Amino acid sequence: MISRAEYQRQQQAQDVVPQEEVKMVPHPVRRHFLLALMTVLSTLVFMIAVLANGTVLNKSFAKKELTNSTLTSSLQNTVNQSVSQSGYTGTVVSTKEANQLIEQVIDDVYEGREINVDLSGIESSMVSQASQQLTQALGISVNLNNSSVVNAIENQVTQQVNQELNTSQLQEVTSAIKIGKLVTNVMLVISSVVLLLCLVIAVFFKTVSFPITIGDAMAWVSVLFAGGLLALSFYQGSLTTDTSLNPLITQVETDVINKGWSLLIIPASLFICCLMVRVWRRIWG
């Protein structure tokens, strides 16, 4: 037989334990989900911003893409054919000079400056070539500087180059790049702050186990980011209906996708590391 007081203590203990269990169990699960969700979203935004800054919003990337595209040959052919109608038989714009013009325009576009194409080098080369041709033909030294014929050809070259490079579409691109840089930088700052807070909560406040939260988050980031790259690959070439621009757009899309796959290595590596930590703890306790 137990005493009445002992019986009451046992009953009170039975009533308290289930109540504590009900209060304690759901909280870590809820915190785990919210923390992992915020980590996934902030990491995805951060990766997208990094990808944009490293590709379409990057001046060096644009120079590499455009100077190795059909735009160079198109600019050469347009200018050289136009000038040949004036009786000039030389090559006005070489491949190197065409690329230099394109790089000048890209510098102005990405710096948000008014587009100002410097043709002095091309014009000097053209005058020099024409003078050499006449000197060889006539057998006497000829200088065509300030010649009215040459000046007319130079004006035609300037007009053709501006028609090819300094267009209203290019002005729209300049505005879009300026806005894109601003938006991307804001995305980088916000996502970095949120991601840092998530890491602080996971590690220092020990809301949940570090490798579980970060590992799960990086797994979802890898899957979602890879899915986005695959979707972009599937719709590749559908961004424009202009057949003349389609090869250039496709080339840029391909290089952006390749850059994205290389960026995917980061979250995938973090997921593998966290998975190894989890397995190690499970095996070795």
Side-chain angles (χ1 to χ4, degrees):
M1 296 293 291
I2 61 176
S3 64
R4 182 178 182 83
E6 182 66 23
Y7 176 77
Q8 289 178 347
R9 282 197 300 269
Q10 292 179 0
Q11 289 298 319
Q12 289 175 355
Q14 292 176 359
D15 292 339
V16 170
V17 172
Q19 186 176 2
E20 290 179 352
E21 292 176 353
V22 171
K23 288 182 179 180
M24 294 299 294
V25 171
H27 290 298
V29 176
R30 190 183 306 117
R31 290 172 186 157
H32 180 133
F33 173 77
L34 292 176
L35 186 61
L37 178 62
M38 293 303 298
T39 305
V40 169
L41 294 179
S42 59
T43 306
L44 278 176
V45 172
F46 181 83
M47 291 181 63
I48 292 172
V50 169
L51 180 60
N53 269 341
T55 53
V56 293
L57 297 179
N58 185 278
K59 182 168 60 177
S60 299
F61 177 84
K63 287 182 178 181
K64 180 181 177 181
E65 293 296 315
L66 296 181
T67 55
N68 290 282
S69 69
T70 56
L71 181 61
T72 301
S73 58
S74 175
L75 178 62
Q76 285 182 270
N77 294 334
T78 300
V79 175
N80 291 331
Q81 289 176 6
S82 175
V83 174
S84 66
Q85 297 175 2
S86 301
Y88 182 77
T89 58
T91 300
V92 178
V93 180
S94 64
T95 300
K96 180 180 179 180
E97 290 169 334
N99 287 335
Q100 289 175 345
L101 290 176
I102 293 173
E103 289 181 356
Q104 287 180 32
V105 174
I106 292 174
D107 285 332
D108 290 337
V109 168
Y110 278 80
E111 296 299 329
R113 299 190 299 259
E114 182 179 355
I115 298 173
N116 183 20
V117 181
D118 182 11
L119 301 175
S120 58
I122 292 177
E123 292 171 351
S124 298
S125 176
M126 181 181 66
V127 172
S128 177
Q129 290 181 35
S131 297
Q132 290 177 4
Q133 289 178 7
L134 287 177
T135 298
Q136 292 173 359
L138 300 177
I140 59 175
S141 178
V142 177
N143 189 349
L144 293 178
N145 287 320
N146 299 321
S147 168
S148 59
V149 175
V150 173
N151 289 337
I153 296 177
E154 289 177 351
N155 291 333
Q156 189 170 1
V157 171
T158 301
Q159 182 180 3
Q160 288 294 329
V161 170
N162 283 325
Q163 287 179 356
E164 285 291 316
L165 297 178
N166 195 0
T167 62
S168 58
Q169 290 86 352
L170 197 57
Q171 298 294 341
E172 294 176 359
V173 170
T174 303
S175 178
I177 289 175
K178 185 177 181 180
I179 296 173
K181 284 184 176 181
L182 177 61
V183 173
T184 303
N185 289 333
V186 172
M187 290 169 57
L188 276 174
V189 172
I190 295 177
S191 60
S192 298
V193 171
V194 174
L195 185 57
L196 181 61
L197 288 175
C198 290
L199 293 176
V200 169
I201 293 173
V203 178
F204 294 101
F205 288 92
K206 297 181 179 179
T207 306
V208 291
S209 176
F210 172 77
I212 296 177
T213 301
I214 305 303
D216 291 348
M218 292 303 106
W220 278 106
V221 168
S222 301
V223 171
L224 294 174
F225 196 75
L229 294 176
L230 290 174
L232 185 59
S233 301
F234 182 77
Y235 290 102
Q236 192 172 358
S238 61
L239 293 180
T240 179
T241 57
D242 190 340
T243 55
S244 61
L245 290 177
N246 193 61
L248 176 59
I249 298 297
T250 302
Q251 173 187 323
V252 172
E253 288 177 335
T254 300
D255 290 337
V256 170
I257 293 171
N258 291 337
K259 187 78 172 181
W261 285 119
S262 63
L263 190 61
L264 185 63
I265 296 175
I266 298 175
S269 299
L270 289 175
F271 163 68
I272 294 175
C273 290
C274 291
L275 181 62
M276 292 174 64
V277 171
R278 189 185 303 184
V279 173
W280 177 273
R281 287 183 176 180
R282 183 167 296 180
I283 293 176
W284 300 101

